[in-house]
């Protein structure tokens, strides 16, 4: 541990200085020798570090999304060059370079946080060994040794002996109960964080080895925390439990508001977004606009949830724009079919009605002609002469309108022979 501490000695002094500054504030409220003052100082240190690491966390999300997108291509390269490991590595590096991705970007927050973790461990270990570290002088050292969190000293460990715990004015049973509960909470928070990532924020349409690796880490990390946690001082357990809870809450926020495309979280998010947009008639905030803009840009490459979202807006009389805004659509707004092909709703409504059999046999004129002529339009020579017998209709007269559907297609119907009476 001395070698590791010497490697991170450059960060030990700043970390101890930050803890002392927070202790000054909380000591004035709760008392300088209380566990609340020192415990809240450690929690505040975690929050400060995690706030500074937010830009790296954003890069981690983008890198993870990019790696998930590249998994199908990576799998093809592995299958194509499975007998040539060198060529496989070269093709992988070429793929990373072309797409601008870096596999190590997903580990940036953990790597950046490691120096602070080891510095804090070295500070608390110095307190347990009655050694001054950084800006922590003799008076602060005595105050930190008196501080207890739920009856367990900050510098006590699960593996400490009864004499070591007694030297810190505490009970071995109390120390082991408190440390065991904190280790369980630390491992459980890590498991839940990884589990919600696997069950809600993974593209289920693509099965890749990356998903199997994440599933394995879901069980490996909690076990690692449980094994190493028994050697951590109580103060370090407070630090690690706080950072796990922060990570869990931060990830829940990201999954809810910026989910991975194709995941269950995206389906739930687009359902909420659809209700919100149809209710207010517009998108609010840069986050919503960015999501809508990404969906519109995809075009035919949209997944089922995104296509359903666009069609839902269209049915509600709204149209998503390329800049992420939503406006009221016109009657002829485009509606997207199941395969992504846009069709005009007005064109579908204005399709001609199916003609009847009589209209099809009568030709184009039959559809526009009236079935009968009024009496005023009848020619005089077609009117009856007053006798009981009616005159046969002349060609071209109003009798033509009484043609039946059985009429010959080649010309006018042959007149019937007059009666022999």
């Amino acid at each position: 541990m001395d070698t590791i501490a010497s490697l991170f000695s450059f960060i030990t002094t700043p970390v101890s200085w930050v803890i002392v500054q927070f202790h000054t504030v909380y000591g004035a409220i709760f008392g300088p020798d209380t566990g609340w003052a020192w415990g809240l100082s450690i929690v505040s240190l975690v929050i400060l570090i995690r706030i500074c690491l937010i830009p790296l966390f954003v890069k981690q999300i983008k890198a993870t999304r990019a790696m998930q997108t590249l998994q199908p291509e990576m799998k093809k390269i592995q299958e194509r060059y499975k007998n040539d490991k060198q060529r496989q590595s070269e093709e992988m590096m070429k793929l990373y370079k072309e797409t601008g991705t870096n596999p190590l970007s997903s580990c940036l927050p953990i790597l950046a946080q490691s120096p602070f973790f080891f510095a804090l461990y070295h500070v608390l270990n110095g307190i347990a060994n009655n050694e001054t570290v950084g800006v922590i002088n003799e008076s602060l050292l005595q105050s930190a040794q008196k501080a207890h969190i739920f009856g367990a000293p900050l510098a006590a460990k699960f593996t400490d002996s009864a004499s070591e715990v007694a030297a810190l004015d505490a009970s071995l049973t109390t120390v082991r109960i408190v440390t065991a509960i904190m280790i369980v909470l630390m491992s459980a928070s890590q498991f839940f964080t990884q589990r919600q990532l696997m069950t809600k924020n993974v593209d289920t349409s693509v099965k890749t080895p990356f998903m199997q690796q994440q599933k394995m880490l879901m069980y490996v990390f909690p076990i690692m925390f449980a094994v190493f946690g028994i050697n951590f001082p109580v103060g370090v357990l407070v630090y690690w439990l706080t950072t796990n809870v922060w990570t869990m809450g931060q990830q829940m926020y990201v999954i809810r508001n910026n989910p991975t495309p194709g995941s269950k979280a995206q389906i739930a998010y687009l359902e909420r977004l659809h209700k919100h947009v149809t209710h207010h008639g517009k998108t609010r905030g840069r986050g919503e606009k960015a999501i809508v803009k990404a969906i519109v840009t995809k075009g035919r490459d949209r997944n089922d949830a995104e296509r359903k979202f666009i069609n839902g807006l269209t049915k509600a009389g709204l149209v998503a724009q390329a800049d992420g805004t939503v406006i009221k659509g016109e009657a002829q707004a485009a509606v997207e079919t199941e395969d992504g092909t846009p069709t005009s709703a007005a064109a579908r409504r204005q399709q001609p009605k199916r003609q009847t059999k009589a209209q099809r046999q009568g030709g184009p004129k039959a559809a526009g002609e009236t079935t009968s002529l009024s009496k005023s339009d009848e020619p005089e020579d077609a009117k009856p002469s007053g006798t009981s017998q009616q005159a046969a209709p002349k060609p071209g007269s109003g009798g033509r309108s009484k043609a039946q559907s059985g009429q010959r297609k080649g010309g006018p119907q042959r007149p019937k022979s007059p009666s022999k009476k």
Side-chain angles (χ1 to χ4, degrees):
M1 185 62 196
D2 293 337
T3 304
I4 297 177
S6 62
L7 291 175
F8 294 98
S9 60
F10 68 95
I11 199 70
T12 302
T13 300
V15 167
S16 61
W17 183 84
V18 172
I19 292 178
V20 169
Q21 301 309 310
F22 282 122
H23 175 263
T24 303
V25 176
Y26 293 122
I29 300 173
F30 302 102
D33 299 336
T34 60
W36 285 104
W38 286 99
L40 289 176
S41 298
I42 297 173
V43 171
S44 300
L45 172 66
V46 175
I47 295 174
L48 178 62
I49 293 173
R50 295 308 301 267
I51 290 175
C52 295
L53 293 179
I54 286 178
L56 293 180
F57 180 74
V58 174
K59 289 184 178 181
Q60 180 190 24
I61 294 175
K62 293 181 178 180
T64 304
R65 298 277 176 85
M67 290 298 295
Q68 290 175 348
T69 305
L70 292 180
Q71 287 302 311
E73 297 297 328
M74 294 170 62
K75 190 175 181 180
K76 292 179 181 178
I77 294 175
Q78 291 173 353
E79 293 177 352
R80 186 180 304 170
Y81 306 104
K82 58 183 178 180
N83 297 325
D84 190 352
K85 297 298 181 182
Q86 183 178 357
R87 180 65 183 278
Q88 185 180 117
S89 301
E90 292 175 356
E91 292 295 328
M92 288 287 189
M93 295 303 296
K94 183 179 178 181
L95 179 64
Y96 294 149
K97 187 176 181 180
E98 290 176 352
T99 56
T101 56
N102 187 356
L104 297 178
S105 298
S106 59
C107 304
L108 284 177
I110 297 177
L111 295 176
Q113 192 177 346
S114 298
F116 300 97
F117 171 77
F118 287 113
L120 179 62
Y121 184 90
H122 184 51
V123 170
L124 294 173
N125 193 53
I127 293 173
N129 296 327
N130 200 23
E131 298 175 355
T132 58
V133 180
V135 299
I136 297 179
N137 52 28
E138 289 290 341
S139 60
L140 291 173
L141 180 63
Q142 296 299 324
S143 175
Q145 287 180 341
K146 294 177 182 178
H148 290 63
I149 297 178
F150 301 110
L154 284 177
K157 307 174 188 176
F158 183 88
T159 56
D160 284 347
S161 62
S163 60
E164 291 174 333
V165 174
L168 296 172
D169 194 18
S171 169
L172 180 62
T173 304
T174 303
V175 169
R176 290 189 174 178
I177 290 175
V178 172
T179 52
I181 292 174
M182 296 182 72
I183 291 171
V184 170
L185 292 176
M186 186 175 63
S187 301
S189 59
Q190 179 66 36
F191 176 79
F192 182 78
T193 301
Q194 196 69 21
R195 187 177 183 276
Q196 70 174 351
L197 180 65
M198 288 298 302
T199 56
K200 295 182 179 180
N201 206 36
V202 174
D203 188 357
T204 56
S205 62
V206 181
K207 304 295 182 181
T208 62
F210 180 77
M211 296 176 60
Q212 298 298 326
Q213 295 174 4
Q214 293 293 320
K215 190 175 181 179
M216 186 186 304
L217 293 177
M218 182 172 64
Y219 297 99
V220 171
F221 276 164
I223 296 175
M224 291 175 59
F225 277 106
V227 171
F228 293 113
I230 61 176
N231 294 313
F232 290 162
V234 173
V236 175
L237 292 178
V238 172
Y239 173 91
W240 209 249
L241 177 60
T242 305
T243 193
N244 278 2
V245 173
W246 177 281
T247 302
M248 182 174 62
Q250 189 172 247
Q251 185 169 274
M252 289 177 65
Y253 176 82
V254 171
I255 290 175
R256 178 176 175 81
N257 296 282
N258 190 17
T260 301
S263 63
K264 294 180 180 179
Q266 190 199 31
I267 297 175
Y269 174 80
L270 290 180
E271 289 177 355
R272 296 193 305 270
L273 183 60
H274 177 263
K275 291 180 182 179
H276 169 76
V277 173
T278 52
H279 178 72
H280 296 281
K282 61 180 182 179
T283 53
R284 295 191 301 182
R286 290 184 298 176
E288 292 184 357
K289 290 181 180 179
I291 294 291
V292 175
K293 180 180 178 180
I295 294 175
V296 173
T297 305
K298 285 185 177 181
R300 292 177 177 269
D301 295 332
R302 298 172 192 151
N303 56 42
D304 293 338
E306 294 165 345
R307 192 175 298 120
K308 183 179 178 181
F309 171 74
I310 294 296
N311 286 341
L313 292 181
T314 304
K315 291 178 182 178
L318 301 172
V319 178
Q321 302 298 301
D323 60 351
T325 58
V326 174
I327 62 174
K328 291 184 179 180
E330 299 178 355
Q332 299 196 2
V335 179
E336 199 173 42
T337 59
E338 289 299 324
D339 60 350
T341 305
T343 58
S344 173
R348 294 193 305 171
R349 289 195 300 266
Q350 294 177 0
Q351 288 181 354
K353 296 182 179 180
R354 188 174 181 179
Q355 294 181 341
T356 62
K357 184 176 179 181
Q359 290 172 337
R360 290 196 304 271
Q361 291 181 346
K365 263 190 173 182
E369 290 180 349
T370 57
T371 54
S372 61
L373 295 175
S374 59
K375 289 184 179 181
S376 60
D377 295 335
E378 290 182 3
E380 293 183 0
D381 56 352
K383 294 181 180 181
S385 58
T387 60
S388 60
Q389 186 177 1
Q390 292 182 349
K394 294 182 180 180
S397 67
R400 185 180 61 177
S401 63
K402 297 182 181 180
Q404 301 298 321
S405 60
Q407 191 175 11
R408 288 187 180 181
K409 297 180 182 180
Q413 188 178 4
R414 185 169 53 191
K416 296 181 180 180
S417 59
S419 175
K420 294 183 180 180
K421 286 183 179 182

